[in-house]
Amino acid sequence: MKAIVQDAYGSADLLELREVERPVPRDDEVLVEIRAAGLGPEVWHLMTGRPLVARAVLGLRKPKNPVQGWDGAGRVEAVGAKVTDFKPGDEVFGNCEGSFAEFARAKAAKLALKPAGLTFEQAAALPVSGMTAFQALSGPARPKPGQKVLVIGASGGVGCYAVQLAALYGAEVTGVCGPGGADFVRAQGAAHVIDYTTEDITGGPHRYDVVIDNAGQRPLPVLRRALAPRGTLVIVGGEGGTAMFGGLSRGLRAVLLSPLVGQNLRNLVSVARREDLLALKDLAENGKLVAPVDRTYPLAQTAEAVRHLEKGHPRGKLVITVP
């Protein structure tokens, strides 16, 4: 099969389209014929091996799995001996290891039937980013109707879903984005928009009940100044920081500080769960959640797509299509 392969950590220049062996599903896995795969910051981290501490899981000297891609949508080609929830021909979406390929393995527990009415491209834009936003706005961070929510990185893959979900829960949402993103963020449900190049998130009169810092690099004291005295901060992603720990150190400091202050400071490590996929599926099928696709790239142009992710500000998700 054709796949995007990477032999060493580094830039998008190392991504190559090659012929490789088709994977064989294990007993609890499904082999998916990939039709589309989502591209987000998590792929950049896997590609570069940053932060360095993550290589304990990703592979110390080179990627354990040389085929890139983390989420996708397609048709079931085959199922493992212990899989009873899916059969060949089913249209599915979810977490697929090595989804930048014509076929990929996936744990059955991390898949769900594709939402009716969504294209494969839209379905592929939903799993990683949608579940991350869903989990970020859960528990004490789930806003009550009328509460004020600030979403930083509101035009990106996770951010656009966080804006939609917070608005769906009845919150008054303020989205933070770059120049040119205001109309898109308002279309997701934000009542207010802050352009981070010209405005300070702490400069307005509001203090927010919930702050979702999606892949941001703002110091923890700045985020706390934007937060209400009893508010909840959720740090998503590990951008910025040192080469060794990236932004993970900021999240760790937040967790350690939380018991000492009135604010609830959380660091989110998203986990793929079928129950969350099913919740997103239900919202999408009922028209309550939209999967915004910024643009699509064919499999052979995956490196170009990653470069766009690195230097641009996609509005929604980038998606790789597989013919």
Side-chain angles (χ1 to χ4, degrees), residues 2-5 15-19 100 299-301:
K2 292 182 175 65
I4 296 296
V5 180
L15 300 177
E16 297 182 8
L17 180 65
R18 294 188 204 160
E19 290 281 345
F100 294 171
L299 185 64
Q301 295 179 17

Side-chain angles (χ1 to χ4, degrees), residues 153-175:
S155 62
V158 174
C160 70
Y161 290 120
V163 170
Q164 290 186 60
L165 289 169
L168 180 64
Y169 298 153
E172 180 183 334
V173 184
T174 298

Side-chain angles (χ1 to χ4, degrees), residues 151-160 163 176-178 181-182 184-185 188 214 313-317:
V151 178
I152 301 172
S155 62
V158 174
C160 70
V163 170
V176 180
C177 63
F184 174 78
V185 172
Q188 307 312 304
N214 169 45
H313 295 279
R315 296 172 190 175
K317 287 283 288 190

Side-chain angles (χ1 to χ4, degrees), residues 45 50-51 215-216 236-241 245-248:
H45 287 290
R50 296 295 183 95
V236 180
E239 309 306 314
F245 294 103
L248 298 177

Side-chain angles (χ1 to χ4, degrees), residues 25-296:
R26 300 186 180 96
D27 285 352
D28 61 345
E29 293 179 336
V30 171
L31 181 65
V32 180
E33 180 186 9
I34 299 294
R35 296 295 302 276
L39 169 60
E42 72 284 348
V43 172
W44 182 88
H45 287 290
L46 292 169
M47 181 184 76
T48 60
R50 296 295 183 95
L52 296 176
V53 68
R55 296 191 185 189
V57 176
L58 304 179
L60 292 177
R61 298 180 181 273
K62 61 181 182 180
K64 285 182 180 178
N65 181 15
V67 180
Q68 280 290 348
W70 195 243
D71 59 1
R75 291 190 176 90
V76 173
E77 175 74 8
V79 299
K82 297 181 180 179
V83 175
T84 59
D85 298 325
F86 303 104
K87 64 183 184 302
D90 284 344
E91 295 184 347
V92 295
F93 79 122
N95 283 102
C96 305
E97 184 179 1
S99 59
F100 294 171
E102 293 179 315
F103 295 89
R105 291 191 339 235
K107 294 282 188 182
K110 297 181 180 181
L111 289 177
L113 294 176
K114 182 175 75 69
L118 264 63
T119 66
F120 284 112
E121 290 80 10
Q122 291 169 322
L126 193 51
V128 170
S129 294
M131 280 191 288
T132 300
F134 188 80
Q135 292 169 20
L137 285 162
S138 64
R142 176 157 177 162
K144 298 178 176 62
Q147 287 191 320
K148 292 178 172 60
V149 174
L150 180 71
V151 178
I152 301 172
S155 62
V158 174
C160 70
Y161 290 120
V163 170
Q164 290 186 60
L165 289 169
L168 180 64
Y169 298 153
E172 180 183 334
V173 184
T174 298
V176 180
C177 63
D183 289 344
F184 174 78
V185 172
R186 286 193 180 93
Q188 307 312 304
H192 315 284
V193 178
I194 294 174
D195 180 342
Y196 69 82
T197 65
T198 60
E199 301 174 71
D200 184 349
I201 65 170
T202 64
H206 300 306
R207 292 296 175 263
Y208 299 93
D209 300 291
V210 178
V211 174
I212 305 297
D213 183 29
N214 169 45
Q217 301 183 36
R218 288 171 178 80
L220 188 56
V222 172
L223 297 173
R224 291 189 60 210
R225 284 199 297 272
L227 193 62
R230 295 291 177 181
T232 298
L233 166 69
V234 183
I235 295 176
V236 180
E239 309 306 314
T242 64
M244 179 59 70
F245 294 103
L248 298 177
S249 57
R250 187 176 58 128
L252 178 59
R253 289 197 303 273
V255 172
L256 293 175
L257 180 61
S258 186
L260 307 177
V261 298
Q263 296 163 325
N264 184 2
L265 311 177
R266 302 172 59 201
N267 182 64
L268 176 68
V269 178
S270 179
V271 178
R273 296 191 293 250
R274 181 183 289 174
E275 56 264 38
D276 292 345
L277 275 176
L278 292 174
L280 295 172
K281 176 179 184 289
D282 182 66
L283 291 173
E285 288 181 335
N286 286 285
K288 296 179 179 179
L289 190 70
V290 177
V293 176
D294 177 77
R295 63 184 70 181
T296 62

